[in-house]
Amino acid sequence: EPEVTQTPSHQVTQMGQEVILRCVPISNHLYFYWYRQILGQKVEFLVSFYNNEISEKSEIFDDQFSVERPDGSNFTLKIRSTKLEDSAMYFCASSEPPDGNQPQHFGDGTRLSIL
Amino acid sequence: KQEVTQIPAALSVPEGENLVLNCSFTDSAIYNLQWFRQDPGKGLTSLLLIQSSQREQTSGRLNASLDKSSGRSTLYIAASQPGDSATYLCAVFHLYSSASKIIFGSGTRLSIRP
């Protein structure tokens, strides 16, 4: 069964540094998402992306964050100047058109640790 | 603003028992509701998706129900096995927000004792 793949599985970064988290969505999906889960807390929506632009973003997704689909297969989340509170699991998801009947398929996540 | 609540936060039962996990949501205007499984340190595996027009969905030993009017869903697991131990997340796909995000509950951590 097709999978969403994320790399790296664990990223350790110094506070203030830039980090890029990478995702390869399922090949025929056109809708992409990033979520995060701070340890012990709920999974939270960050951003959705379709047709090379952001379709919705949460209040968490401030100017430090950006997303990009640099080529036909990758979908990236960049955090420009990381803060301690950015430490979390970051999940990428993809789906077919969200008509209410299409589940979002999630990757295994990238654990981001900010020191 | 949609809020999704799951009770209990943790549950431990002996192997073989049937069990029910509960989910409630505050705004009934949803597109669908999904139940996910999350193993420690892993991603989210979609178990069942119930469309807003449906009352229940079944997959193997799992049965999920949806009562939109009361804002409730249940996940029934029959004949539980140790391999069912995981965190189970309920999530709603909200109708009046942009149809592109899921709102998650905080999960029920299930432990099946051999």
Side-chain angles (χ1 to χ4, degrees):
Chain A
E1 184 175 325
E3 291 183 340
V4 175
T5 57
Q6 291 186 241
T7 55
S9 56
H10 191 190
Q11 174 79 44
V12 181
T13 301
Q14 292 287 334
M15 186 173 61
Q17 296 295 306
E18 174 182 287
V19 66
I20 297 176
L21 309 182
R22 303 182 191 279
C23 170
V24 179
I26 293 173
S27 61
N28 64 330
H29 287 179
L30 298 177
Y31 293 78
F32 314 116
Y33 316 85
W34 283 101
Y35 294 81
R36 80 172 185 190
Q37 186 178 32
I38 295 171
L39 187 64
Q41 298 188 22
K42 290 185 180 185
V43 177
E44 302 172 288
F45 168 80
L46 291 177
V47 66
S48 60
F49 189 87
Y50 168 69
N51 199 26
N52 280 322
E53 59 183 31
I54 291 173
S55 50
E56 185 170 0
K57 60 183 181 180
S58 72
E59 59 274 11
I60 303 168
F61 194 88
D62 60 21
D63 291 343
Q64 299 287 352
F65 291 89
S66 63
V67 289
E68 190 179 28
R69 188 155 164 80
D71 53 43
S73 60
N74 289 285
F75 178 53
T76 62
L77 174 68
K78 182 192 290 186
I79 309 175
R80 262 179 274 282
S81 178
T82 49
K83 304 187 282 285
L84 292 175
E85 54 264 38
D86 294 328
S87 295
M89 280 288 282
Y90 287 80
F91 294 107
C92 172
S94 69
S95 75
E96 296 183 41
D99 61 1
N101 192 34
Q102 300 298 335
Q104 293 183 13
H105 297 261
F106 285 75
D108 279 346
T110 293
R111 181 174 300 282
L112 178 62
S113 300
I114 307 300
L115 305 179
Chain B
K1 181 184 172 186
Q2 179 73 273
E3 296 284 342
V4 181
T5 303
Q6 291 186 247
I7 296 172
L11 180 64
S12 178
V13 301
E15 181 178 2
E17 279 201 6
N18 304 324
L19 59 99
V20 175
L21 307 180
N22 296 293
C23 171
S24 61
F25 46 95
T26 53
D27 189 335
S28 61
I30 62 171
Y31 250 19
N32 63 46
L33 183 144
Q34 274 185 271
W35 283 92
F36 292 87
R37 169 183 174 138
Q38 185 177 28
D39 292 286
K42 294 289 189 180
L44 306 173
T45 302
S46 180
L47 298 173
L48 289 164
L49 181 150
I50 312 176
Q51 294 181 60
S52 60
S53 58
Q54 297 175 323
R55 298 282 292 185
E56 65 178 333
Q57 281 285 337
T58 298
S59 175
R61 293 182 294 107
L62 305 180
N63 176 276
S65 69
L66 174 63
D67 184 342
K68 256 185 55 171
S69 59
S70 67
R72 293 173 193 266
S73 175
T74 61
L75 180 66
Y76 174 83
I77 302 177
S80 57
Q81 303 170 358
D84 295 330
S85 297
T87 296
Y88 290 81
L89 301 175
C90 167
V92 298
F93 196 57
H94 196 264
L95 184 64
Y96 291 116
S97 66
S98 170
S100 62
K101 69 178 180 184
I102 296 176
I103 300 168
F104 285 85
S106 51
T108 293
R109 191 170 63 254
L110 177 64
S111 174
I112 307 299
R113 306 190 299 271

